Amino acid sequence: ATLVQRGYVTKSAGRRYALGPRILSFSAACLRQVDLPRRAEPFLERINAATGETVHLAVLQGEDLFTIAKKDARHAVRVDSGAVGKTDAVHATATGKAILAWLPEPQIRAILAHKGMTRFTANTITDCEGLLEHLRAVRREGYATDNEEFQPHVVCVGAAIRDHVGTVVGSLSVSAPTMRADAAHLDLMRCEIVNAANSLSSELGNSGTLDEKAVPASSVKQA
């Protein structure tokens, strides 16, 4: 009776039951998690080849940020970005901020209150109001940056990935050591990451790039 009330099953003739429409929300979430790394693989490879730098694919699960795929840099000197898995730096990474920027403000505040805002470097934004202002800039510009906020001497650029209804389903980022991150290289990183995120979003059925006015913050769905 509870499952019927909540839409997960429907009651048919007699005492028979069938799956209800809300079960589709589970199948869609499962497909996104299983399919996203496969869909993203060519884009990770493309960014890695064009920039030579380390590339990440991340998703938000509940209040936790997970890196679910990465491609290491092609240079001898490379960013040590850790292993695939959970990170507590959603507020300090380009992948995390690219996703956070499109969440409703109350949800952002709840995540930050629960996870905390650890200071990883002197550049880490550790106050909620300061980060909210930073995220408004992310929405305006269409990409997120990590300016030595998570690791010293490492800069990153990230952008959100959207599906056919405009829902943010993850993010891509590229990371480089500051020794290589001159203006020209940063421009290349930004161009490659934004183009890849837009192209991957198109493959997932998204109809075009989005800006702060076009898409409400509530259009984000967590994995």
Side-chain angles (χ1 to χ4, degrees):
T2 301
L3 293 173
V4 170
Q5 183 181 15
R6 297 185 179 181
Y8 293 111
V9 299
T10 58
K11 190 174 181 179
S12 56
R15 300 180 60 85
R16 296 181 179 276
Y17 292 87
L19 294 175
R22 287 202 65 189
I23 203 70
L24 293 174
S25 63
F26 289 115
S27 62
C30 180
L31 285 172
R32 280 198 304 273
Q33 288 193 322
V34 171
D35 197 44
L36 188 57
R38 180 185 65 81
R39 289 287 193 96
E41 175 62 26
F43 297 95
L44 297 176
E45 181 64 35
R46 186 183 308 171
I47 300 165
N48 178 256
T51 67
E53 305 295 355
T54 302
V55 189
H56 303 87
L57 171 68
V59 296
L60 190 67
Q61 296 180 340
E63 297 175 334
D64 295 314
L65 182 70
F66 287 83
T67 298
I68 58 174
K70 65 178 289 191
K71 185 78 64 174
D72 286 323
R74 302 184 178 209
H75 300 282
V77 178
R78 63 183 65 179
V79 171
D80 180 12
S81 56
V84 168
K86 186 172 77 170
T87 173
D88 291 323
V90 65
H91 65 294
T93 56
T95 48
K97 290 189 287 184
I99 297 173
L100 279 183
W102 300 99
L103 292 174
E105 185 174 314
Q107 190 173 355
I108 298 173
R109 291 182 181 275
I111 291 173
L112 297 178
H114 178 74
K115 301 299 294 182
M117 300 181 70
T118 302
R119 180 176 292 281
F120 296 101
T121 74
N123 289 354
T124 306
I125 302 172
T126 57
D127 67 287
C128 184
E129 300 306 320
L131 184 62
L132 289 172
E133 180 61 32
H134 180 81
L135 295 178
R136 283 190 279 271
V138 172
R139 292 198 297 272
R140 289 193 300 270
E141 295 169 358
Y143 61 87
T145 57
D146 161 11
N147 183 23
E148 299 184 73
E149 297 165 49
F150 182 47
Q151 294 175 286
H153 314 300
V154 176
V155 295
C156 311
V157 181
I161 305 163
R162 299 178 183 274
D163 67 9
H164 63 289
V165 294
T167 297
V168 173
V169 295
S171 61
L172 292 168
S173 78
V174 57
S175 306
T178 53
M179 61 178 286
R180 284 197 296 271
D182 57 19
H185 197 52
L186 283 173
D187 283 343
L188 174 64
M189 290 167 59
R190 280 192 292 267
C191 181
E192 291 295 330
I193 207 72
V194 170
N195 285 343
N198 288 339
S199 296
L200 179 53
S201 297
S202 294
E203 281 205 5
L204 297 177
N206 189 256
S207 59
T209 58
L210 301 166
D211 57 35
E212 186 176 16
K213 294 180 180 179
V215 180
S218 59
S219 67
V220 177
K221 182 181 292 183
Q222 296 181 46

